[in-house]
Amino acid sequence: MSQLEQTLVLIKPDGVARNLTGEILRRIEAKGYQLVDVRLVHAQRDLLAAHYAEHEGKPFYEPLIQFMESGPIVALRISGHRVIEGFRVLAGTTDPTTAAPGTIRGDLGRDWGLNVQQNLVHGSDSVETAERELALWFSHS
């Protein structure tokens, strides 16, 4: 039984600033996933607050919001068989230092010390999260 899904992928400001957008897109397409929509976004605080609402009040929340406001973000709607799980494996673990070789974070990520939010990409973690996040980032079609 096919599990065709859609998910949100964000190429974070560090990935855009380091000119890694093309390489990240190449890896997504090489995996067999389809690009459905691509946008370059200068995210406003209200969008980021809604996106990261479950983290409000945590110590990393404000630095994360500030980092995500610091530059352009490439928002992607991608689809494919089990794309949510597959992209998260392709991205690698959150900490680029310990991310496996062959993953986006393992090959391209840098160790920023305590700044693990600078880890190049975000991918939705469940079908429910993907639906909520895609609605936030792609609501103005």
PDB file of all heavy atoms in Angstrom, residues 50-78:
ATOM      1  N   ALA A  50       3.949  31.028  15.197  1.00  0.00           N
ATOM      2  CA  ALA A  50       2.953  29.983  14.956  1.00  0.00           C
ATOM      3  C   ALA A  50       3.635  28.654  14.632  1.00  0.00           C
ATOM      4  O   ALA A  50       3.229  27.596  15.123  1.00  0.00           O
ATOM      5  CB  ALA A  50       2.015  30.392  13.827  1.00  0.00           C
ATOM      6  N   HIS A  51       4.688  28.710  13.836  1.00  0.00           N
ATOM      7  CA  HIS A  51       5.407  27.493  13.451  1.00  0.00           C
ATOM      8  C   HIS A  51       6.036  26.804  14.661  1.00  0.00           C
ATOM      9  O   HIS A  51       5.987  25.579  14.780  1.00  0.00           O
ATOM     10  CB  HIS A  51       6.491  27.843  12.419  1.00  0.00           C
ATOM     11  CG  HIS A  51       7.286  26.669  11.965  1.00  0.00           C
ATOM     12  ND1 HIS A  51       6.877  25.853  10.941  1.00  0.00           N
ATOM     13  CD2 HIS A  51       8.460  26.164  12.404  1.00  0.00           C
ATOM     14  CE1 HIS A  51       7.773  24.891  10.768  1.00  0.00           C
ATOM     15  NE2 HIS A  51       8.745  25.062  11.640  1.00  0.00           N
ATOM     16  N   TYR A  52       6.643  27.579  15.550  1.00  0.00           N
ATOM     17  CA  TYR A  52       7.356  27.031  16.703  1.00  0.00           C
ATOM     18  C   TYR A  52       6.559  27.155  18.006  1.00  0.00           C
ATOM     19  O   TYR A  52       7.132  27.135  19.087  1.00  0.00           O
ATOM     20  CB  TYR A  52       8.712  27.733  16.856  1.00  0.00           C
ATOM     21  CG  TYR A  52       9.685  27.372  15.757  1.00  0.00           C
ATOM     22  CD1 TYR A  52      10.101  28.323  14.830  1.00  0.00           C
ATOM     23  CD2 TYR A  52      10.200  26.083  15.657  1.00  0.00           C
ATOM     24  CE1 TYR A  52      11.002  27.996  13.830  1.00  0.00           C
ATOM     25  CE2 TYR A  52      11.098  25.750  14.655  1.00  0.00           C
ATOM     26  CZ  TYR A  52      11.497  26.704  13.745  1.00  0.00           C
ATOM     27  OH  TYR A  52      12.378  26.371  12.747  1.00  0.00           O
ATOM     28  N   ALA A  53       5.235  27.248  17.917  1.00  0.00           N
ATOM     29  CA  ALA A  53       4.391  27.483  19.095  1.00  0.00           C
ATOM     30  C   ALA A  53       4.626  26.477  20.214  1.00  0.00           C
ATOM     31  O   ALA A  53       4.600  26.843  21.396  1.00  0.00           O
ATOM     32  CB  ALA A  53       2.916  27.483  18.688  1.00  0.00           C
ATOM     33  N   GLU A  54       4.877  25.215  19.874  1.00  0.00           N
ATOM     34  CA  GLU A  54       5.052  24.198  20.916  1.00  0.00           C
ATOM     35  C   GLU A  54       6.325  24.399  21.729  1.00  0.00           C
ATOM     36  O   GLU A  54       6.484  23.812  22.800  1.00  0.00           O
ATOM     37  CB  GLU A  54       5.040  22.776  20.320  1.00  0.00           C
ATOM     38  CG  GLU A  54       6.254  22.425  19.484  1.00  0.00           C
ATOM     39  CD  GLU A  54       6.144  22.829  18.010  1.00  0.00           C
ATOM     40  OE1 GLU A  54       5.243  23.597  17.635  1.00  0.00           O
ATOM     41  OE2 GLU A  54       6.991  22.374  17.228  1.00  0.00           O
ATOM     42  N   HIS A  55       7.232  25.254  21.246  1.00  0.00           N
ATOM     43  CA  HIS A  55       8.489  25.506  21.959  1.00  0.00           C
ATOM     44  C   HIS A  55       8.472  26.805  22.765  1.00  0.00           C
ATOM     45  O   HIS A  55       9.454  27.109  23.445  1.00  0.00           O
ATOM     46  CB  HIS A  55       9.662  25.542  20.973  1.00  0.00           C
ATOM     47  CG  HIS A  55       9.834  24.257  20.230  1.00  0.00           C
ATOM     48  ND1 HIS A  55      10.011  23.042  20.854  1.00  0.00           N
ATOM     49  CD2 HIS A  55       9.846  23.993  18.900  1.00  0.00           C
ATOM     50  CE1 HIS A  55      10.143  22.090  19.954  1.00  0.00           C
ATOM     51  NE2 HIS A  55      10.025  22.636  18.762  1.00  0.00           N
ATOM     52  N   GLU A  56       7.379  27.556  22.686  1.00  0.00           N
ATOM     53  CA  GLU A  56       7.312  28.826  23.410  1.00  0.00           C
ATOM     54  C   GLU A  56       7.578  28.597  24.897  1.00  0.00           C
ATOM     55  O   GLU A  56       7.082  27.644  25.488  1.00  0.00           O
ATOM     56  CB  GLU A  56       5.949  29.490  23.216  1.00  0.00           C
ATOM     57  CG  GLU A  56       5.916  30.902  23.738  1.00  0.00           C
ATOM     58  CD  GLU A  56       4.646  31.644  23.368  1.00  0.00           C
ATOM     59  OE1 GLU A  56       3.739  31.036  22.762  1.00  0.00           O
ATOM     60  OE2 GLU A  56       4.548  32.829  23.705  1.00  0.00           O
ATOM     61  N   GLY A  57       8.413  29.461  25.467  1.00  0.00           N
ATOM     62  CA  GLY A  57       8.764  29.359  26.876  1.00  0.00           C
ATOM     63  C   GLY A  57      10.021  28.548  27.144  1.00  0.00           C
ATOM     64  O   GLY A  57      10.565  28.593  28.236  1.00  0.00           O
ATOM     65  N   LYS A  58      10.496  27.801  26.146  1.00  0.00           N
ATOM     66  CA  LYS A  58      11.728  27.029  26.310  1.00  0.00           C
ATOM     67  C   LYS A  58      12.931  27.949  26.098  1.00  0.00           C
ATOM     68  O   LYS A  58      12.831  28.953  25.384  1.00  0.00           O
ATOM     69  CB  LYS A  58      11.758  25.857  25.329  1.00  0.00           C
ATOM     70  CG  LYS A  58      10.652  24.834  25.608  1.00  0.00           C
ATOM     71  CD  LYS A  58      10.657  23.710  24.615  1.00  0.00           C
ATOM     72  CE  LYS A  58       9.508  22.740  24.896  1.00  0.00           C
ATOM     73  NZ  LYS A  58       9.367  21.733  23.837  1.00  0.00           N
ATOM     74  N   PRO A  59      14.069  27.620  26.704  1.00  0.00           N
ATOM     75  CA  PRO A  59      15.241  28.516  26.628  1.00  0.00           C
ATOM     76  C   PRO A  59      15.724  28.806  25.201  1.00  0.00           C
ATOM     77  O   PRO A  59      16.232  29.888  24.931  1.00  0.00           O
ATOM     78  CB  PRO A  59      16.317  27.771  27.412  1.00  0.00           C
ATOM     79  CG  PRO A  59      15.606  26.773  28.242  1.00  0.00           C
ATOM     80  CD  PRO A  59      14.306  26.472  27.557  1.00  0.00           C
ATOM     81  N   PHE A  60      15.550  27.859  24.291  1.00  0.00           N
ATOM     82  CA  PHE A  60      16.046  28.046  22.923  1.00  0.00           C
ATOM     83  C   PHE A  60      15.055  28.759  22.009  1.00  0.00           C
ATOM     84  O   PHE A  60      15.386  29.089  20.865  1.00  0.00           O
ATOM     85  CB  PHE A  60      16.433  26.695  22.302  1.00  0.00           C
ATOM     86  CG  PHE A  60      15.284  25.727  22.173  1.00  0.00           C
ATOM     87  CD1 PHE A  60      14.428  25.769  21.074  1.00  0.00           C
ATOM     88  CD2 PHE A  60      15.060  24.770  23.149  1.00  0.00           C
ATOM     89  CE1 PHE A  60      13.365  24.882  20.954  1.00  0.00           C
ATOM     90  CE2 PHE A  60      14.007  23.866  23.047  1.00  0.00           C
ATOM     91  CZ  PHE A  60      13.157  23.928  21.937  1.00  0.00           C
ATOM     92  N   TYR A  61      13.830  29.030  22.503  1.00  0.00           N
ATOM     93  CA  TYR A  61      12.774  29.591  21.659  1.00  0.00           C
ATOM     94  C   TYR A  61      13.166  30.942  21.056  1.00  0.00           C
ATOM     95  O   TYR A  61      13.128  31.123  19.832  1.00  0.00           O
ATOM     96  CB  TYR A  61      11.469  29.715  22.453  1.00  0.00           C
ATOM     97  CG  TYR A  61      10.340  30.369  21.696  1.00  0.00           C
ATOM     98  CD1 TYR A  61       9.591  29.661  20.772  1.00  0.00           C
ATOM     99  CD2 TYR A  61      10.013  31.705  21.911  1.00  0.00           C
ATOM    100  CE1 TYR A  61       8.547  30.245  20.080  1.00  0.00           C
ATOM    101  CE2 TYR A  61       8.967  32.311  21.227  1.00  0.00           C
ATOM    102  CZ  TYR A  61       8.245  31.575  20.315  1.00  0.00           C
ATOM    103  OH  TYR A  61       7.215  32.169  19.624  1.00  0.00           O
ATOM    104  N   GLU A  62      13.523  31.904  21.888  1.00  0.00           N
ATOM    105  CA  GLU A  62      13.826  33.253  21.383  1.00  0.00           C
ATOM    106  C   GLU A  62      15.053  33.256  20.458  1.00  0.00           C
ATOM    107  O   GLU A  62      14.988  33.859  19.385  1.00  0.00           O
ATOM    108  CB  GLU A  62      13.999  34.238  22.540  1.00  0.00           C
ATOM    109  CG  GLU A  62      14.044  35.692  22.099  1.00  0.00           C
ATOM    110  CD  GLU A  62      12.817  36.147  21.294  1.00  0.00           C
ATOM    111  OE1 GLU A  62      11.685  35.730  21.593  1.00  0.00           O
ATOM    112  OE2 GLU A  62      13.013  36.933  20.339  1.00  0.00           O
ATOM    113  N   PRO A  63      16.157  32.584  20.818  1.00  0.00           N
ATOM    114  CA  PRO A  63      17.281  32.528  19.872  1.00  0.00           C
ATOM    115  C   PRO A  63      16.900  31.869  18.543  1.00  0.00           C
ATOM    116  O   PRO A  63      17.374  32.283  17.484  1.00  0.00           O
ATOM    117  CB  PRO A  63      18.340  31.701  20.609  1.00  0.00           C
ATOM    118  CG  PRO A  63      18.016  31.866  22.054  1.00  0.00           C
ATOM    119  CD  PRO A  63      16.508  31.998  22.117  1.00  0.00           C
ATOM    120  N   LEU A  64      16.028  30.873  18.595  1.00  0.00           N
ATOM    121  CA  LEU A  64      15.583  30.209  17.368  1.00  0.00           C
ATOM    122  C   LEU A  64      14.785  31.166  16.491  1.00  0.00           C
ATOM    123  O   LEU A  64      15.026  31.266  15.284  1.00  0.00           O
ATOM    124  CB  LEU A  64      14.751  28.971  17.713  1.00  0.00           C
ATOM    125  CG  LEU A  64      14.151  28.207  16.549  1.00  0.00           C
ATOM    126  CD1 LEU A  64      15.211  27.726  15.574  1.00  0.00           C
ATOM    127  CD2 LEU A  64      13.319  27.037  17.072  1.00  0.00           C
ATOM    128  N   ILE A  65      13.849  31.890  17.093  1.00  0.00           N
ATOM    129  CA  ILE A  65      13.045  32.866  16.339  1.00  0.00           C
ATOM    130  C   ILE A  65      13.964  33.925  15.724  1.00  0.00           C
ATOM    131  O   ILE A  65      13.844  34.253  14.532  1.00  0.00           O
ATOM    132  CB  ILE A  65      11.973  33.527  17.236  1.00  0.00           C
ATOM    133  CG1 ILE A  65      10.975  32.490  17.758  1.00  0.00           C
ATOM    134  CG2 ILE A  65      11.271  34.668  16.506  1.00  0.00           C
ATOM    135  CD1 ILE A  65      10.049  31.888  16.734  1.00  0.00           C
ATOM    136  N   GLN A  66      14.894  34.443  16.503  1.00  0.00           N
ATOM    137  CA  GLN A  66      15.818  35.468  15.995  1.00  0.00           C
ATOM    138  C   GLN A  66      16.664  34.933  14.845  1.00  0.00           C
ATOM    139  O   GLN A  66      16.872  35.624  13.846  1.00  0.00           O
ATOM    140  CB  GLN A  66      16.705  35.987  17.120  1.00  0.00           C
ATOM    141  CG  GLN A  66      15.952  36.833  18.120  1.00  0.00           C
ATOM    142  CD  GLN A  66      16.799  37.237  19.318  1.00  0.00           C
ATOM    143  OE1 GLN A  66      17.991  36.971  19.388  1.00  0.00           O
ATOM    144  NE2 GLN A  66      16.163  37.879  20.287  1.00  0.00           N
ATOM    145  N   PHE A  67      17.145  33.695  14.972  1.00  0.00           N
ATOM    146  CA  PHE A  67      17.920  33.093  13.893  1.00  0.00           C
ATOM    147  C   PHE A  67      17.079  32.953  12.632  1.00  0.00           C
ATOM    148  O   PHE A  67      17.523  33.298  11.536  1.00  0.00           O
ATOM    149  CB  PHE A  67      18.466  31.721  14.326  1.00  0.00           C
ATOM    150  CG  PHE A  67      18.938  30.882  13.181  1.00  0.00           C
ATOM    151  CD1 PHE A  67      20.004  31.292  12.401  1.00  0.00           C
ATOM    152  CD2 PHE A  67      18.310  29.691  12.884  1.00  0.00           C
ATOM    153  CE1 PHE A  67      20.437  30.518  11.326  1.00  0.00           C
ATOM    154  CE2 PHE A  67      18.728  28.911  11.826  1.00  0.00           C
ATOM    155  CZ  PHE A  67      19.799  29.329  11.041  1.00  0.00           C
ATOM    156  N   MET A  68      15.854  32.470  12.768  1.00  0.00           N
ATOM    157  CA  MET A  68      15.003  32.264  11.595  1.00  0.00           C
ATOM    158  C   MET A  68      14.569  33.580  10.952  1.00  0.00           C
ATOM    159  O   MET A  68      14.252  33.610   9.765  1.00  0.00           O
ATOM    160  CB  MET A  68      13.799  31.406  11.969  1.00  0.00           C
ATOM    161  CG  MET A  68      14.162  29.977  12.362  1.00  0.00           C
ATOM    162  SD  MET A  68      14.891  28.995  11.029  1.00  0.00           S
ATOM    163  CE  MET A  68      13.416  28.642  10.055  1.00  0.00           C
ATOM    164  N   GLU A  69      14.584  34.674  11.716  1.00  0.00           N
ATOM    165  CA  GLU A  69      14.291  36.008  11.158  1.00  0.00           C
ATOM    166  C   GLU A  69      15.513  36.627  10.492  1.00  0.00           C
ATOM    167  O   GLU A  69      15.395  37.641   9.812  1.00  0.00           O
ATOM    168  CB  GLU A  69      13.846  36.961  12.277  1.00  0.00           C
ATOM    169  CG  GLU A  69      12.462  36.752  12.795  1.00  0.00           C
ATOM    170  CD  GLU A  69      12.119  37.733  13.904  1.00  0.00           C
ATOM    171  OE1 GLU A  69      12.888  37.854  14.883  1.00  0.00           O
ATOM    172  OE2 GLU A  69      11.066  38.394  13.795  1.00  0.00           O
ATOM    173  N   SER A  70      16.692  36.038  10.686  1.00  0.00           N
ATOM    174  CA  SER A  70      17.952  36.679  10.304  1.00  0.00           C
ATOM    175  C   SER A  70      18.231  36.711   8.808  1.00  0.00           C
ATOM    176  O   SER A  70      19.132  37.430   8.370  1.00  0.00           O
ATOM    177  CB  SER A  70      19.126  36.005  11.023  1.00  0.00           C
ATOM    178  OG  SER A  70      19.364  34.710  10.494  1.00  0.00           O
ATOM    179  N   GLY A  71      17.499  35.967   8.024  1.00  0.00           N
ATOM    180  CA  GLY A  71      17.740  35.955   6.591  1.00  0.00           C
ATOM    181  C   GLY A  71      16.671  35.173   5.870  1.00  0.00           C
ATOM    182  O   GLY A  71      15.764  34.607   6.497  1.00  0.00           O
ATOM    183  N   PRO A  72      16.778  35.118   4.551  1.00  0.00           N
ATOM    184  CA  PRO A  72      15.766  34.404   3.770  1.00  0.00           C
ATOM    185  C   PRO A  72      15.772  32.905   4.058  1.00  0.00           C
ATOM    186  O   PRO A  72      16.793  32.320   4.402  1.00  0.00           O
ATOM    187  CB  PRO A  72      16.140  34.693   2.322  1.00  0.00           C
ATOM    188  CG  PRO A  72      17.526  35.201   2.344  1.00  0.00           C
ATOM    189  CD  PRO A  72      17.805  35.723   3.703  1.00  0.00           C
ATOM    190  N   ILE A  73      14.592  32.317   3.888  1.00  0.00           N
ATOM    191  CA  ILE A  73      14.348  30.891   4.067  1.00  0.00           C
ATOM    192  C   ILE A  73      13.726  30.390   2.765  1.00  0.00           C
ATOM    193  O   ILE A  73      12.881  31.068   2.182  1.00  0.00           O
ATOM    194  CB  ILE A  73      13.357  30.658   5.226  1.00  0.00           C
ATOM    195  CG1 ILE A  73      13.960  31.133   6.545  1.00  0.00           C
ATOM    196  CG2 ILE A  73      12.917  29.201   5.300  1.00  0.00           C
ATOM    197  CD1 ILE A  73      12.942  31.237   7.673  1.00  0.00           C
ATOM    198  N   VAL A  74      14.132  29.209   2.319  1.00  0.00           N
ATOM    199  CA  VAL A  74      13.474  28.578   1.180  1.00  0.00           C
ATOM    200  C   VAL A  74      12.498  27.550   1.739  1.00  0.00           C
ATOM    201  O   VAL A  74      12.898  26.609   2.424  1.00  0.00           O
ATOM    202  CB  VAL A  74      14.483  27.931   0.217  1.00  0.00           C
ATOM    203  CG1 VAL A  74      13.745  27.201  -0.905  1.00  0.00           C
ATOM    204  CG2 VAL A  74      15.429  28.981  -0.364  1.00  0.00           C
ATOM    205  N   ALA A  75      11.213  27.781   1.486  1.00  0.00           N
ATOM    206  CA  ALA A  75      10.153  26.876   1.932  1.00  0.00           C
ATOM    207  C   ALA A  75       9.788  25.959   0.771  1.00  0.00           C
ATOM    208  O   ALA A  75       9.552  26.426  -0.348  1.00  0.00           O
ATOM    209  CB  ALA A  75       8.935  27.666   2.391  1.00  0.00           C
ATOM    210  N   LEU A  76       9.760  24.658   1.053  1.00  0.00           N
ATOM    211  CA  LEU A  76       9.478  23.654   0.029  1.00  0.00           C
ATOM    212  C   LEU A  76       8.285  22.805   0.437  1.00  0.00           C
ATOM    213  O   LEU A  76       8.195  22.378   1.590  1.00  0.00           O
ATOM    214  CB  LEU A  76      10.674  22.709  -0.139  1.00  0.00           C
ATOM    215  CG  LEU A  76      12.046  23.314  -0.347  1.00  0.00           C
ATOM    216  CD1 LEU A  76      13.117  22.260  -0.194  1.00  0.00           C
ATOM    217  CD2 LEU A  76      12.125  23.963  -1.708  1.00  0.00           C
ATOM    218  N   ARG A  77       7.406  22.568  -0.505  1.00  0.00           N
ATOM    219  CA  ARG A  77       6.370  21.541  -0.354  1.00  0.00           C
ATOM    220  C   ARG A  77       6.847  20.401  -1.233  1.00  0.00           C
ATOM    221  O   ARG A  77       6.996  20.572  -2.444  1.00  0.00           O
ATOM    222  CB  ARG A  77       5.009  22.046  -0.831  1.00  0.00           C
ATOM    223  CG  ARG A  77       3.903  20.982  -0.736  1.00  0.00           C
ATOM    224  CD  ARG A  77       2.628  21.429  -1.437  1.00  0.00           C
ATOM    225  NE  ARG A  77       2.029  22.584  -0.832  1.00  0.00           N
ATOM    226  CZ  ARG A  77       1.054  22.554   0.091  1.00  0.00           C
ATOM    227  NH1 ARG A  77       0.576  21.392   0.501  1.00  0.00           N
ATOM    228  NH2 ARG A  77       0.563  23.661   0.584  1.00  0.00           N
ATOM    229  N   ILE A  78       7.147  19.256  -0.599  1.00  0.00           N
ATOM    230  CA  ILE A  78       7.611  18.115  -1.376  1.00  0.00           C
ATOM    231  C   ILE A  78       6.679  16.939  -1.145  1.00  0.00           C
ATOM    232  O   ILE A  78       6.015  16.847  -0.114  1.00  0.00           O
ATOM    233  CB  ILE A  78       9.079  17.752  -1.077  1.00  0.00           C
ATOM    234  CG1 ILE A  78       9.289  17.327   0.374  1.00  0.00           C
ATOM    235  CG2 ILE A  78       9.999  18.904  -1.446  1.00  0.00           C
ATOM    236  CD1 ILE A  78      10.688  16.797   0.660  1.00  0.00           C
TER     237      ILE A  78
END
